[in-house]
Amino acid sequence: MADRSGRDPGPLALLIARHIAESGPIGFDEYVGHALYHPTLGFYCRGGGAGRRRDFLTSPEVGPLFGAVLARALDHWWHELGEPEDLVLLEVGAGPGTLARSLRAAGPRCLGHLHHVLVEVGRTQWSTHPDGVVSTVDVPVSAELPDAPVVVLANELMDNLPFGLVVKTSQGWCEVAVGNDGDPTRGRLVEVFRELDDPRRRWCDDRAGEDAPVGARLAVHSHAAAWLGDMVSLGANRGVRVVAIDYTSTSEEMAHRPWTEWLRTYASHGRSGHPLEDPGSCDITTEIAVDQLDLVKPPTRVRTQAQFLADHEIDALVAEGRRRWDQTGITGGLKAIEGRSRALEAEALTDPTGLGAFSVLEWVVPPGAPIRVPAGPHQR
Ligand SMILES: C[S@@+](CC[C@H](N)C(=O)[O-])C[C@H]1O[C@@H](n2cnc3c(N)ncnc32)[C@H](O)[C@@H]1O
């Protein structure tokens, strides 16, 4: 049956509406989990995601330069550790594996020492994957890793982990849950505001600031915080460096901006509609309020992506590419063309109004350092 907008509901909307009819409204985080990762109907599991032929471009998808710079960064971190015999590179949210391929193709010095593990949700995207060992999130990865220092790399992962949502009403902060409109056969999903207990209301006030206007909203990153806690804990005894690259904000900023600016939906390289419309058809993503991750562990270092790439000598790679092209021109084949393209790729990767403004967040736990990870924000 068509909904009020005249469209037939998608199969996942119907499934979620029926689930709500049986068990009551669900948290926004649970909704995002279904919309993105339902094993057959979720956005990612249906083949959506990063890439020119998919839905949005990420830095690795701009071209191989990003992976080449990360190969340099990896060598730098390996050298800082004293060039150990074994180094684990745990790439979480590896998408279609583009970064893994370009990083390895750049031939970092540590390549022969690298245990490169790619972690994704399920295995559906992995049939063509040539690089490293593939693990699923259902398996505790720590059980599979050699006892060696770990570098965790997560490019645009955290913005795609399920997140909760709260809203300030005239009665104070409430959770934004997801219900149906009373008739599950219509598959129409609606927001339901649920009361929060006092400690959670106080948490919202502390994060958003008491002057946040009625109507203000906040993403709640419990899942990202739990993920960060798990990754930091991997470093017990062997040491870990977690490098997460993402678009960031703060809770206070979020509460003072229109929520549709920081909670976005994408499909086919364009913005999509309301996140409750046609789940499974688009990506649902949020900026990351870094203050909520500080509650787990403040980052050791924060740089913009532009600064990070400059620190790891993107300019030298661009100059080398230009030289290659100048020496051979088109007779140098693909390698020469790739060299010439580096200048354009660098422009996109360091653009201060785009990818260059992303944050590179690093948490460094040296081997043997005591690890104490407190509970993340606003645990449900
Ligand atoms: C925005 S894409 C980024 C892909 C890739 N890193 C890139 O930069 O092109 C986010 C990826 O994270 C994956 N993902 C989400 N939750 C995950 C989890 N808990 N563990 C591993 N991967 C996850 C998604 O399936 C998706 O492929």
Coordinates of all heavy atoms in Angstrom, one line a residue, residues 308-363:
F308 N 47.9 16.8 8.2 CA 48.4 15.5 8.3 C 49.1 15.1 7.0 O 50.2 14.5 7.0 CB 47.2 14.5 8.6 CG 47.6 13.0 8.6 CD1 48.1 12.4 9.7 CD2 47.5 12.3 7.5 CE1 48.5 11.1 9.7 CE2 47.8 10.9 7.5 CZ 48.3 10.3 8.6
L309 N 48.5 15.3 5.8 CA 49.0 15.0 4.6 C 50.3 15.8 4.3 O 51.3 15.2 3.8 CB 48.0 15.1 3.4 CG 46.8 14.2 3.5 CD1 45.8 14.6 2.4 CD2 47.1 12.8 3.5
A310 N 50.3 17.0 4.7 CA 51.5 17.9 4.5 C 52.6 17.3 5.4 O 53.8 17.2 4.9 CB 51.2 19.3 4.9
D311 N 52.3 16.9 6.6 CA 53.3 16.4 7.5 C 54.0 15.1 7.0 O 55.1 14.8 7.3 CB 52.8 16.2 8.9 CG 52.4 17.5 9.6 OD1 52.8 18.5 9.2 OD2 51.7 17.4 10.6
H312 N 53.2 14.4 6.2 CA 53.7 13.1 5.7 C 54.1 13.3 4.2 O 54.0 12.3 3.4 CB 52.7 12.0 5.9 CG 52.7 11.6 7.4 ND1 53.7 11.0 8.0 CD2 51.7 11.9 8.3 CE1 53.4 10.9 9.3 NE2 52.2 11.4 9.5
E313 N 54.4 14.6 3.8 CA 55.1 14.9 2.6 C 54.3 14.6 1.3 O 54.8 14.1 0.3 CB 56.4 14.2 2.5 CG 57.3 14.7 3.7 CD 58.6 14.0 3.7 OE1 58.7 12.8 3.5 OE2 59.6 14.7 4.0
I314 N 53.0 15.0 1.3 CA 52.2 14.8 0.1 C 52.9 15.7 -1.0 O 52.9 15.2 -2.2 CB 50.8 15.2 0.3 CG1 49.9 14.9 -0.9 CG2 50.6 16.7 0.6 CD1 48.4 15.0 -0.6
D315 N 53.5 16.8 -0.7 CA 54.1 17.7 -1.7 C 55.2 17.0 -2.5 O 55.3 17.1 -3.7 CB 54.6 19.0 -1.1 CG 53.4 19.9 -0.7 OD1 52.3 19.6 -1.1 OD2 53.7 20.8 0.1
A316 N 56.0 16.2 -1.7 CA 57.1 15.5 -2.4 C 56.6 14.4 -3.3 O 57.1 14.2 -4.4 CB 58.0 14.8 -1.3
L317 N 55.5 13.8 -2.9 CA 54.9 12.8 -3.8 C 54.3 13.4 -5.1 O 54.4 12.8 -6.2 CB 53.8 12.0 -3.1 CG 54.3 11.0 -2.1 CD1 53.2 10.4 -1.2 CD2 55.0 9.8 -2.8
V318 N 53.7 14.6 -4.9 CA 53.2 15.3 -6.1 C 54.3 15.7 -7.0 O 54.3 15.5 -8.3 CB 52.4 16.5 -5.7 CG1 52.0 17.4 -6.9 CG2 51.1 16.1 -4.9
A319 N 55.4 16.2 -6.4 CA 56.6 16.7 -7.3 C 57.2 15.4 -8.0 O 57.5 15.5 -9.2 CB 57.6 17.3 -6.4
E320 N 57.3 14.3 -7.3 CA 57.8 13.1 -7.9 C 56.9 12.7 -9.1 O 57.4 12.3 -10.2 CB 57.9 12.0 -6.9 CG 58.4 10.7 -7.3 CD 58.1 9.6 -6.3 OE1 58.4 9.7 -5.1 OE2 57.4 8.6 -6.7
G321 N 55.6 12.8 -8.9 CA 54.7 12.4 -10.0 C 54.8 13.3 -11.2 O 54.8 12.8 -12.3
R322 N 55.0 14.6 -10.9 CA 55.2 15.5 -12.0 C 56.4 15.3 -12.8 O 56.4 15.3 -14.0 CB 55.2 17.0 -11.5 CG 55.0 18.0 -12.6 CD 54.9 19.4 -12.0 NE 53.7 19.6 -11.2 CZ 53.7 20.0 -9.9 NH1 54.8 20.3 -9.3 NH2 52.6 20.1 -9.2
R323 N 57.5 15.0 -12.1 CA 58.8 14.6 -12.7 C 58.7 13.4 -13.6 O 59.1 13.4 -14.8 CB 59.9 14.3 -11.6 CG 60.7 15.6 -11.3 CD 62.0 15.2 -10.6 NE 61.8 14.2 -9.5 CZ 61.4 14.6 -8.2 NH1 61.2 15.9 -8.0 NH2 61.3 13.7 -7.3
R324 N 58.0 12.4 -13.1 CA 57.8 11.2 -13.9 C 57.1 11.5 -15.2 O 57.5 11.1 -16.3 CB 56.9 10.2 -13.1 CG 57.2 8.8 -13.3 CD 56.2 7.9 -12.7 NE 56.3 7.8 -11.2 CZ 55.3 7.4 -10.4 NH1 54.2 7.0 -10.9 NH2 55.5 7.3 -9.1
W325 N 56.1 12.3 -15.1 CA 55.3 12.7 -16.3 C 56.2 13.5 -17.3 O 56.2 13.3 -18.5 CB 54.1 13.5 -15.9 CG 53.4 14.1 -17.1 CD1 53.4 15.4 -17.6 CD2 52.5 13.4 -18.1 NE1 52.7 15.5 -18.7 CE2 52.1 14.3 -19.1 CE3 52.1 12.0 -18.2 CZ2 51.3 13.9 -20.1 CZ3 51.2 11.7 -19.2 CH2 50.8 12.6 -20.2
D326 N 56.9 14.5 -16.7 CA 57.8 15.4 -17.5 C 58.9 14.6 -18.3 O 59.2 14.9 -19.4 CB 58.5 16.4 -16.7 CG 57.5 17.5 -16.2 OD1 56.4 17.5 -16.8 OD2 57.8 18.2 -15.3
Q327 N 59.4 13.5 -17.6 CA 60.4 12.7 -18.2 C 59.9 11.9 -19.4 O 60.6 11.7 -20.4 CB 61.1 11.8 -17.2 CG 62.1 12.5 -16.3 CD 62.4 11.7 -15.1 OE1 62.0 10.6 -14.9 NE2 63.1 12.4 -14.2
T328 N 58.7 11.3 -19.2 CA 58.3 10.3 -20.2 C 57.0 10.7 -21.0 O 56.8 10.2 -22.1 CB 57.9 9.0 -19.5 OG1 56.8 9.2 -18.6 CG2 59.1 8.4 -18.7
G329 N 56.2 11.6 -20.5 CA 55.0 11.9 -21.1 C 54.1 10.7 -21.2 O 54.3 9.7 -20.5
I330 N 53.3 10.6 -22.2 CA 52.3 9.5 -22.4 C 53.0 8.2 -22.6 O 52.5 7.1 -22.3 CB 51.3 9.8 -23.5 CG1 50.1 8.9 -23.4 CG2 52.0 9.7 -24.9 CD1 49.2 9.1 -22.2
T331 N 54.3 8.2 -23.1 CA 55.0 7.0 -23.3 C 55.3 6.2 -22.0 O 55.6 5.0 -22.0 CB 56.3 7.2 -24.1 OG1 57.1 8.0 -23.2 CG2 56.2 7.8 -25.4
G332 N 55.2 7.0 -20.9 CA 55.4 6.3 -19.6 C 54.2 5.5 -19.2 O 54.2 4.9 -18.1
G333 N 53.1 5.5 -20.0 CA 51.9 4.7 -19.7 C 51.2 5.1 -18.4 O 51.2 6.3 -18.0
L334 N 50.5 4.2 -17.8 CA 49.7 4.4 -16.7 C 50.4 5.1 -15.5 O 49.9 5.9 -14.8 CB 49.0 3.1 -16.2 CG 47.8 2.7 -17.0 CD1 47.2 1.4 -16.4 CD2 46.7 3.8 -17.0
K335 N 51.6 4.6 -15.3 CA 52.4 5.1 -14.1 C 52.6 6.6 -14.3 O 52.5 7.4 -13.3 CB 53.8 4.4 -14.1 CG 53.8 3.2 -13.3 CD 53.9 3.5 -11.8 CE 53.5 2.3 -10.9 NZ 52.8 2.7 -9.7
A336 N 52.9 7.0 -15.6 CA 53.1 8.5 -15.8 C 51.8 9.3 -15.6 O 51.8 10.3 -15.0 CB 53.7 8.6 -17.2
I337 N 50.8 8.7 -16.1 CA 49.5 9.4 -16.0 C 49.1 9.5 -14.5 O 48.6 10.6 -14.0 CB 48.4 8.7 -16.8 CG1 48.7 8.8 -18.3 CG2 47.0 9.2 -16.5 CD1 47.7 8.0 -19.2
E338 N 49.3 8.4 -13.8 CA 49.1 8.5 -12.3 C 49.9 9.6 -11.7 O 49.4 10.3 -10.8 CB 49.4 7.1 -11.8 CG 48.9 6.9 -10.3 CD 49.4 5.5 -9.8 OE1 49.2 4.5 -10.4 OE2 50.1 5.6 -8.7
G339 N 51.1 9.7 -12.1 CA 52.0 10.7 -11.5 C 51.5 12.1 -11.8 O 51.4 13.0 -11.0
R340 N 51.0 12.3 -13.0 CA 50.5 13.6 -13.4 C 49.2 13.9 -12.6 O 48.9 15.1 -12.3 CB 50.2 13.6 -14.9 CG 49.9 15.0 -15.5 CD 49.5 14.9 -16.9 NE 49.3 16.3 -17.4 CZ 48.6 16.6 -18.5 NH1 48.1 15.6 -19.2 NH2 48.5 17.8 -18.8
S341 N 48.4 12.9 -12.4 CA 47.1 13.1 -11.7 C 47.3 13.5 -10.2 O 46.3 14.0 -9.6 CB 46.2 11.9 -11.7 OG 46.0 11.5 -13.0
R342 N 48.5 13.3 -9.7 CA 48.7 13.5 -8.3 C 48.4 15.0 -7.9 O 47.8 15.2 -6.8 CB 50.1 13.2 -7.9 CG 50.3 11.7 -7.7 CD 51.7 11.4 -7.2 NE 51.9 9.9 -7.0 CZ 53.0 9.4 -6.6 NH1 54.1 10.1 -6.5 NH2 53.1 8.1 -6.4
A343 N 48.7 15.9 -8.8 CA 48.5 17.3 -8.4 C 47.0 17.6 -8.2 O 46.6 18.2 -7.2 CB 49.0 18.2 -9.5
L344 N 46.1 17.0 -9.0 CA 44.7 17.2 -8.9 C 44.2 16.5 -7.7 O 43.3 17.0 -6.9 CB 44.0 16.7 -10.1 CG 43.8 17.6 -11.3 CD1 43.1 16.9 -12.4 CD2 43.0 18.9 -10.8
E345 N 44.7 15.3 -7.5 CA 44.2 14.5 -6.3 C 44.6 15.3 -5.0 O 43.8 15.4 -4.1 CB 44.9 13.1 -6.2 CG 44.4 12.1 -7.2 CD 45.2 10.8 -7.1 OE1 45.3 10.3 -6.0 OE2 45.6 10.3 -8.1
A346 N 45.8 15.8 -5.0 CA 46.3 16.6 -3.8 C 45.4 17.7 -3.5 O 45.0 18.0 -2.4 CB 47.7 17.0 -3.9
E347 N 44.9 18.4 -4.6 CA 44.0 19.6 -4.4 C 42.7 19.1 -3.7 O 42.3 19.8 -2.8 CB 43.7 20.1 -5.8 CG 44.0 21.6 -6.0 CD 43.7 22.0 -7.4 OE1 42.5 22.3 -7.7 OE2 44.7 22.0 -8.2
A348 N 42.2 18.0 -4.2 CA 40.9 17.5 -3.6 C 41.1 17.1 -2.1 O 40.3 17.3 -1.3 CB 40.4 16.4 -4.4
L349 N 42.3 16.4 -1.9 CA 42.5 15.8 -0.6 C 42.8 16.9 0.5 O 42.6 16.6 1.7 CB 43.6 14.8 -0.6 CG 43.4 13.6 -1.4 CD1 44.7 12.7 -1.6 CD2 42.3 12.7 -0.8
T350 N 43.3 18.0 0.1 CA 43.7 19.1 1.0 C 42.7 20.3 1.0 O 43.0 21.2 1.7 CB 45.1 19.5 0.8 OG1 45.2 20.1 -0.6 CG2 46.1 18.4 0.9
D351 N 41.7 20.2 0.2 CA 40.7 21.3 0.0 C 40.2 21.7 1.4 O 39.5 20.9 2.1 CB 39.6 20.9 -0.9 CG 38.5 21.9 -1.0 OD1 38.7 23.0 -0.4 OD2 37.5 21.7 -1.7
P352 N 40.5 23.0 1.9 CA 40.0 23.3 3.2 C 38.5 23.4 3.4 O 38.0 23.5 4.5 CB 40.7 24.7 3.4 CG 41.0 25.2 2.0 CD 41.2 24.0 1.2
T353 N 37.8 23.4 2.3 CA 36.3 23.4 2.4 C 35.7 22.0 2.2 O 34.5 21.9 2.2 CB 35.7 24.4 1.3 OG1 35.9 23.8 0.0 CG2 36.2 25.8 1.4
G354 N 36.6 21.0 2.1 CA 36.1 19.7 1.8 C 37.0 18.7 2.6 O 37.1 18.8 3.8
L355 N 37.6 17.7 1.9 CA 38.3 16.6 2.6 C 39.4 17.1 3.4 O 39.7 16.6 4.5 CB 38.8 15.7 1.5 CG 37.8 14.8 0.8 CD1 38.4 14.1 -0.4 CD2 37.1 13.9 1.7
G356 N 40.0 18.3 3.0 CA 41.2 18.8 3.8 C 40.8 19.2 5.2 O 41.6 19.3 6.1
A357 N 39.5 19.5 5.4 CA 39.1 20.0 6.7 C 38.7 18.8 7.7 O 38.4 19.1 8.8 CB 37.8 20.9 6.5
F358 N 38.7 17.6 7.1 CA 38.4 16.5 8.0 C 39.5 16.5 9.2 O 40.5 17.0 9.0 CB 38.6 15.1 7.3 CG 37.4 14.8 6.4 CD1 36.5 15.7 5.9 CD2 37.1 13.5 6.1 CE1 35.4 15.4 5.1 CE2 36.0 13.1 5.4 CZ 35.2 14.1 4.9
S359 N 39.1 15.8 10.3 CA 40.1 15.7 11.4 C 40.8 14.3 11.3 O 40.1 13.3 11.1 CB 39.3 15.8 12.7 OG 38.7 17.1 12.8
V360 N 42.1 14.3 11.6 CA 42.8 13.1 11.8 C 43.0 13.0 13.3 O 43.8 13.8 13.9 CB 44.1 13.1 11.0 CG1 44.9 11.8 11.3 CG2 43.9 13.3 9.6
L361 N 42.3 12.1 14.0 CA 42.4 11.9 15.4 C 43.3 10.7 15.7 O 43.1 9.6 15.1 CB 41.0 11.6 16.0 CG 39.9 12.6 15.6 CD1 38.5 12.0 15.8 CD2 40.0 13.9 16.4
E362 N 44.3 10.9 16.6 CA 45.2 9.8 16.9 C 45.2 9.6 18.4 O 45.3 10.5 19.2 CB 46.6 10.1 16.5 CG 46.8 10.1 15.0 CD 48.2 10.5 14.6 OE1 49.2 9.8 14.9 OE2 48.4 11.6 14.0
W363 N 45.1 8.3 18.8 CA 45.2 7.9 20.2 C 46.4 7.0 20.2 O 46.4 5.9 19.5 CB 44.0 7.2 20.7 CG 42.8 8.0 20.8 CD1 42.3 8.7 21.9 CD2 41.8 8.3 19.8 NE1 41.2 9.3 21.7 CE2 40.8 9.2 20.4 CE3 41.6 8.0 18.5 CZ2 39.7 9.7 19.7 CZ3 40.5 8.5 17.8 CH2 39.6 9.3 18.4

